[in-house]
Amino acid sequence: MKSQKMSLKMRLSTLKRRVVSHLANLLWRALLPFLPWFFNEAHFEGLYRRKRDPWNYTKSTYEQEKYQKTLEAIPQDVHTILEVGTSEGVFTELLLQRGKEVFGIDISQTALERARARLEVYGDRVRLEKLDIARDEPEGIFDLILASEVLYYLGGRNVLLTLEEKFLRHLRDGGYLLLVHFYPSGKLIHDLFLERGRFTRLFEEVVLHPERDYIITLLKKTGAP
């Protein structure tokens, strides 16, 4: 009887998580045209000024587990990384601890100032710059571009396909694009980068998590922009 109750509780928990994920997906699609107007520089700058580590990256078990899975998805031949959405540099530091060179960009100056303080000890292996990836052009060619929990803020199909071209320009031949976003919306975002046949999918994992489902996709550059 006890095991049956536990099994029922687990099934209900799974159903609840899937319903919440589905509703989040519908909401994201409905609000998509308006997201860039709301999630702009002023929004994120205000968020960081009001609170340090607003998403609890440093202490959240969920975020730490997702970080570990993201690190495991990075190929061995990657040395230089463009990190889109550096925030306060929590994940950036994990990359640096593994010997990577990172160019981190973010739209919030306050977040970047905190990242610089956190990452000062890594010297010239890290470069940080205030940059809006949807509008600005980063400098450099990289082994891998990482976009984690950021692309859904930027807009719909046209914006993301423009980013596909931009990412191609800044990846070396055979370079990688690593995408991590909440699921199932993340699946729609990630698949857009495959439409033109200039990336191929090497790896994809959907993680069903009690807090929030997410998807990790590793793509490889196969063509020129």
Side-chain angles (χ1 to χ4, degrees), residues 20-44:
V20 170
S21 293
H22 180 68
L23 291 175
N25 183 59
L26 291 176
L27 181 63
W28 174 73
R29 297 184 73 173
L31 296 177
L32 192 55
F34 311 103
L35 294 182
W37 297 347
F38 180 77
F39 293 108
N40 54 23
E41 180 180 342
H43 168 82
F44 287 106

Side-chain angles (χ1 to χ4, degrees), residues 56 60 66 70 73 81 89 94-95 97 103 113 115 130 138 141 144 148-149 153-154 169 189 205 215 222:
N56 196 29
S60 167
K66 185 166 59 175
T70 303
I81 296 175
L94 296 180
L95 294 172
Q97 288 172 351
F103 178 27
E113 289 172 359
K130 183 176 177 294
I141 302 296
L144 180 141
S148 178
E149 305 289 6
Y153 292 125
L154 303 182
R169 287 197 296 273
I189 293 170
E205 180 180 5
I215 181 170
T222 59

Side-chain angles (χ1 to χ4, degrees), residues 60-121:
S60 167
T61 301
Y62 168 76
E63 294 295 344
Q64 295 303 316
E65 290 177 2
K66 185 166 59 175
Y67 284 169
Q68 184 58 41
K69 283 189 169 291
T70 303
L71 290 169
E72 291 171 358
I74 297 175
Q76 292 295 316
D77 60 339
V78 167
H79 301 289
T80 59
I81 296 175
L82 170 62
E83 183 187 20
V84 180
T86 295
S87 186
E88 296 174 349
V90 178
F91 187 72
T92 317
E93 185 165 26
L94 296 180
L95 294 172
L96 293 165
Q97 288 172 351
R98 284 157 179 78
K100 311 302 182 185
E101 296 181 9
V102 183
F103 178 27
I105 60 174
D106 202 280
I107 200 170
S108 167
Q109 186 64 42
T110 297
L112 288 171
E113 289 172 359
R114 293 173 185 164
R116 288 189 180 97
R118 177 190 299 274
L119 306 174
E120 183 179 9
V121 296

